[in-house]
Amino acid sequence: MLGEGGGLFGQALRTARRRCGLTQEELAADSGVSVRNIRDLETGRIARPRPATVRRLAEALGLSNDDRTSFLTAAASPAEPPAVAPSRHRPRPAQMPADTAVFVGRTAELTELDISDDAGKLPVVWTVTGPAGVGKTCFAVHWAHSAVDRFPDGQLYVNLRGYGPGEQVPPTEAVRGFLDALGVPPHAVPDDPAAQLSLFRSVLAGKHILIVLDNARDAAQVRPLLPGTAGCVVVVTSRNPLHGLVATAGARPIRLEMLSTADAAGLLTRRVGAARLDGDTDAVRAIIDRCQRLPLALAVVAGRLVSEPMLTATRVAGDLAAGMPAFASDDEHTDLRSVFSWSYRILSPWAARLFRLLSLNPGPDVSEMAAEALAGGPATELVAELIRTQLLTERAPGRYTMHDLLRSYASEQCLRTDDPAEIRAGRARLLDAHLLWSSAAAQTLEPFREPVDERAPDLFADDDTAMTWLAAERANLLALVTMAADQGFPGRTWRLAWALTTFMQRRGHWYDLIRAHQIALEAARRAGDIRGEIHAHRGLARALFRLERFDEARVHLDLALAQATSLDDVLGMARARHGLGYTAQQQGRQDEAFEHLSEARRLFEGAQNVEGVADAMTSIAWCHTLLGQSAEARDNAQKAVELFITVRNRHGQAVALDTLGRAYAGLGDPRRAVTHHQQARQVFHELGDRYSEAEASRHLAEAHEAAGDPVAAQNAWQRSDSILAGVDKPVARS
């Protein structure tokens, strides 16, 4: 709770107001500053007030010169952070993209947002609309960064992709990302989309959060994502006027027009440098007129001036006037296309080719590896050329992104210029590069898992680097799975899904795993690729099992077993049997579980697959623990530990150690149980397997309780809860 503190300025404001005998409402009426802003300033929710706000308050309070000086000094002093109560499961989200390096103008619009009052019964909703390239996203993000202290519970952001390449983001997908960011445990998220949206509104109740819904297509895409109560502020950006949202949700519209001539000149000056433009006043004015004062167009023009130091503004103005008659069209899309065309034509042939092919990437960004794959060779200099001409942005070291409008233009040029065979070859190179690296990462994480093709080269030093790479590429890899299926690459589709499985399992991303393998299964079926179907069935079963959808998992495992049998695939049969045994185990059918697991062990032994034998023995040991047969559980788990040590499988060893701990707990030896659970948890932590680390922590907590150590038990419970806040529902294995 926020108290009477509020930092130096909050105290100074409260003291001055009371000395003048004014209520917050009276001060608001005199100063033009909202009651809510005054309240938030006094309590410290707004830690750093804007200078204009301070001046208005000082004038309304009628302060003397000395008091006014003290008042302004307090406003400039560092403020204590707001005393927001911590929460284990509800982190403070900070999803806003980076602020723009150069921002000019929009003073009136920013002030309008600053003085908004959300003290009513409904959330404040703003619509920021205007033509393409006018800077709607930059405006919203810039204001969000300046107003961060107004939202002590965090800021949420999503690009709804209403305009531009790629599919629109449906509200159900957006809300899932928001729930994750808000720290809602995946197991608490219902399957029903309508229920997810209701949960989202419930979580937001009573909070002060900014939500930026960027690039919306229409009101229907936005309406389900609006909070239901006061406290939150929503900023929606769109080319669509969103009249329906204004009418039904009480949204307050802000329309961004073209920059003023002065602000447009300021943008060019700050980007290019005043010394470069001195003496070319007429040329600068001509450039501004030809760009129609559109921020994105001006940025592209500035990019050429920056990248070509010998080029004069007069030459640029002449080129625009002589070479682009369509540049003055009233059609905003034609205007932008002309600007992009002009910038595109100055590229070297190989950089222009890469620019076009970058539009083939379906993900949110591209890495250096992906750029090289599309280029078909070294791409460092080509990427640098695209960055210099403002056709590509480096959003993080080694990761690049392209504005939606630029990507759309690049796609048009690609379809117009490149042969269909080259386009398909570019997609194939992109898929193969990601498949190579993701397969190598999967092998690093699970070296004894059977490869679907020849083993990939060793590209990662350890599990940590492999997990880091997969985390960075997760969105791209999921998008590539969809692209591979849509563009007729079925083999690459299921192989990419296969490569993602271990990472998704360790991070608990069960929904992503289901989505990837559903796409893979459909692609394999269309191609008649039974091997691909088997892998997809097993991948789906893994995810469904973790979500406790056991009957669905069993269906896929039965199909995988039948198909593996038809191919006389011994290891495929063994793995399907192991999955069926594990599923039966969780459903309480222990006789059936023993039958499947014993057959799996026999098949693994026949194939001389030591790791598979150890896996089966671990699961058999767990069955024994569920039946209270602790001695048998101990013997099987101990043997499994020894086998995993023999083949140097640390992950399998940790699973067996965790099982061994449960066996000792059943034997009435909780201290030995504690030792084994601690060992297992440490290995899981080192390998980045958050789900298994949480499960081992839970077992450790139970062992500490049995050993009479409630403090250690509570610490273990807290660690498990903290981890499970970010992964899907754990399996109840006890």
Side-chain angles (χ1 to χ4, degrees):
M1 297 289 294
L2 293 169
E4 279 273 292
L8 292 177
F9 181 73
Q11 296 173 22
L13 176 58
R14 188 167 58 250
T15 299
R17 177 178 59 78
R18 290 173 176 173
R19 185 183 301 164
C20 294
L22 295 175
T23 65
Q24 291 178 338
E25 290 75 12
E26 290 170 339
L27 179 57
D30 292 345
S31 66
V33 178
S34 71
V35 174
R36 181 186 181 280
N37 277 15
I38 292 173
R39 183 173 63 250
D40 287 351
L41 285 166
E42 290 190 354
T43 58
R45 284 190 184 277
I46 298 179
R48 297 182 183 276
R50 296 174 67 87
T53 300
V54 177
R55 287 194 295 272
R56 289 200 299 270
L57 290 170
E59 291 170 0
L61 290 167
L63 299 177
S64 65
N65 289 337
D66 289 342
D67 288 342
R68 185 185 183 94
T69 299
S70 300
F71 193 70
L72 296 175
T73 301
S77 300
E80 297 178 0
V84 181
S87 171
R88 289 186 302 165
H89 304 299
R90 302 285 166 81
R92 183 181 188 275
Q95 294 188 320
M96 214 55 57
D99 199 358
T100 182
V102 175
F103 188 90
V104 298
R106 313 299 191 198
T107 303
E109 294 86 352
L110 290 170
T111 300
E112 190 172 3
L113 281 173
D114 278 343
I115 64 175
S116 64
D117 185 0
D118 61 347
K121 296 182 179 180
L122 296 175
V124 171
V125 180
W126 292 93
T127 62
V128 179
T129 62
V134 80
K136 299 180 290 294
T137 298
C138 288
F139 171 83
V141 170
H142 179 73
W143 179 77
H145 281 279
S146 71
V148 65
D149 289 332
R150 281 189 54 185
F151 304 98
D153 296 313
Q155 298 185 332
L156 299 172
Y157 171 91
V158 63
N159 179 0
L160 295 173
R161 296 203 298 268
Y163 295 88
E167 297 182 359
Q168 297 179 47
V169 176
T172 50
E173 181 179 334
V175 80
R176 180 63 198 237
F178 284 164
L179 289 173
D180 286 344
L182 289 165
V184 177
H187 67 263
V189 178
D191 290 337
D192 179 57
Q196 291 180 9
L197 292 166
S198 295
L199 175 62
F200 173 61
R201 288 189 287 271
S202 297
V203 172
L204 292 182
K207 295 187 178 300
H208 291 274
I209 287 181
L210 172 65
I211 306 170
V212 174
L213 305 176
D214 192 21
N215 195 12
R217 185 59 176 268
D218 51 35
Q221 192 182 18
V222 169
R223 197 172 285 111
L225 297 172
L226 298 181
T229 57
C232 295
V233 173
V234 182
V235 177
V236 186
T237 74
S238 179
R239 300 183 202 174
N240 189 314
L242 299 175
H243 294 312
L245 208 60
V246 175
T248 61
R252 308 174 187 183
I254 291 179
R255 176 172 174 80
L256 297 185
E257 303 293 350
M258 306 305 175
L259 292 173
S260 68
T261 299
D263 286 335
L267 189 153
L268 283 174
T269 299
R270 292 180 63 181
R271 292 290 296 272
V272 180
R276 183 85 176 278
L277 300 178
D278 281 347
D280 283 337
T281 304
D282 291 342
V284 170
R285 184 179 297 111
I287 291 172
I288 292 171
D289 289 344
R290 290 292 177 180
C291 288
Q292 298 184 2
R293 295 172 284 114
L294 196 62
L296 188 57
L298 289 163
V300 174
V301 171
R304 186 183 177 191
L305 285 164
V306 171
S307 63
E308 297 185 47
M310 301 305 294
L311 193 64
T312 65
T314 300
R315 169 67 185 278
V316 170
D319 288 348
L320 287 173
M324 296 186 183
F327 198 72
S329 170
D330 291 335
D331 183 339
E332 67 190 33
H333 293 89
T334 302
D335 292 340
L336 279 176
R337 192 174 295 116
S338 298
V339 176
F340 295 152
S341 170
W342 177 77
S343 185
Y344 165 71
R345 287 206 302 263
I346 69 172
L347 294 172
S348 66
W350 288 105
R353 174 178 173 270
L354 176 58
F355 173 69
R356 297 193 302 270
L357 294 179
L358 283 171
S359 68
L360 302 179
N361 178 59
D365 60 11
V366 293
S367 63
E368 293 178 350
M369 173 272 291
E372 289 190 357
L374 288 167
T380 302
E381 293 184 4
L382 304 180
V383 167
E385 185 176 348
L386 294 177
I387 292 174
R388 285 197 303 272
T389 52
Q390 300 295 313
L391 294 176
L392 199 64
T393 301
E394 188 172 20
R395 72 168 184 82
R399 304 201 71 84
Y400 309 97
T401 189
M402 186 182 289
H403 189 282
D404 286 347
L405 294 172
L406 281 170
R407 186 185 292 192
S408 179
Y409 174 76
S411 179
E412 291 177 2
Q413 296 304 309
C414 186
L415 293 173
R416 182 180 298 127
T417 305
D418 297 297
D419 184 86
E422 167 58 8
I423 293 175
R424 183 170 179 81
R427 288 194 174 105
R429 291 194 302 272
L430 185 67
L431 288 167
D432 287 343
H434 284 86
L435 184 56
L436 175 68
W437 281 76
S438 58
S439 296
Q443 287 174 188
T444 300
L445 299 177
E446 203 170 352
F448 293 94
R449 184 182 175 199
E450 83 285 11
V452 293
D453 295 305
E454 294 183 7
R455 289 186 64 84
D458 293 330
L459 299 175
F460 298 95
D462 50 36
D463 284 52
D464 185 57
T465 55
M467 291 290 284
T468 299
W469 185 87
L470 285 164
E473 293 290 345
R474 172 187 167 193
N476 286 324
L477 290 168
L478 288 170
L480 285 167
V481 170
T482 301
M483 185 193 82
D486 292 344
Q487 298 298 327
F489 297 98
R492 293 173 172 90
T493 304
W494 69 260
R495 285 171 171 82
L496 275 173
W498 171 91
L500 277 166
T501 300
T502 302
F503 167 75
M504 295 293 191
Q505 180 166 306
R506 292 192 182 182
R507 289 295 172 90
H509 298 314
W510 311 124
Y511 294 104
D512 285 343
L513 197 56
I514 287 175
R515 174 186 166 200
H517 282 294
Q518 282 176 333
I519 294 170
L521 180 59
E522 292 168 4
R525 280 175 174 166
R526 288 195 299 266
D529 188 338
I530 296 178
R531 186 165 170 245
E533 288 186 56
I534 293 172
H535 282 285
H537 281 307
R538 294 215 316 261
L540 276 167
R542 282 197 190 197
L544 291 166
F545 179 91
R546 297 303 184 188
L547 293 173
E548 296 186 355
R549 291 156 61 175
F550 299 122
D551 290 337
E552 294 174 69
R554 186 175 181 179
V555 169
H556 287 287
L557 290 167
D558 281 334
L559 290 169
L561 177 59
Q563 290 176 319
T565 302
S566 72
L567 297 180
D568 196 25
D569 176 2
V570 175
L571 287 177
M573 290 187 285
R575 291 187 172 90
R577 285 279 194 177
H578 185 268
L580 284 166
Y582 206 32
T583 303
Q585 178 190 99
Q586 296 304 308
Q587 292 186 300
R589 303 192 307 273
Q590 302 308 328
D591 290 342
E592 181 183 337
F594 274 121
E595 179 183 346
H596 282 302
L597 293 171
S598 297
E599 178 62 10
R601 177 178 176 178
R602 185 188 69 79
L603 290 169
F604 281 127
E605 287 175 339
Q608 297 183 333
N609 187 296
V610 177
E611 184 195 29
V613 172
D615 270 335
M617 293 184 71
T618 302
S619 295
I620 289 171
W622 196 268
C623 275
H624 283 304
T625 67
L626 295 175
L627 293 173
Q629 299 166 352
S630 301
E632 293 88 341
R634 176 199 59 202
D635 295 342
N636 278 278
Q638 184 61 54
K639 181 61 176 176
V641 170
E642 293 167 2
L643 290 175
F644 280 125
I645 291 174
T646 299
V647 295
R648 299 182 180 179
N649 185 334
R650 295 185 69 213
H651 191 274
Q653 179 185 347
V655 175
L657 282 169
D658 196 39
T659 305
L660 186 58
R662 297 294 283 177
Y664 276 113
L667 290 169
D669 192 347
R671 297 198 179 279
R672 293 189 73 173
V674 165
T675 298
H676 291 305
H677 290 315
Q678 285 176 331
Q679 292 172 342
R681 186 177 70 172
Q682 181 61 30
V683 174
F684 289 136
H685 178 75
E686 292 173 1
L687 297 179
D689 187 343
R690 297 189 300 187
Y691 174 80
S692 296
E693 182 185 352
E695 193 171 48
S697 293
R698 181 164 58 88
H699 298 153
L700 178 60
E702 293 169 353
H704 277 309
E705 287 176 347
D709 192 343
V711 174
Q714 181 62 25
N715 290 336
W717 282 120
Q718 289 177 347
R719 182 164 173 176
S720 178
D721 290 346
S722 176
I723 296 170
L724 289 177
V727 302
D728 274 336
K729 186 175 182 178
V731 177
R733 290 180 57 183
S734 59

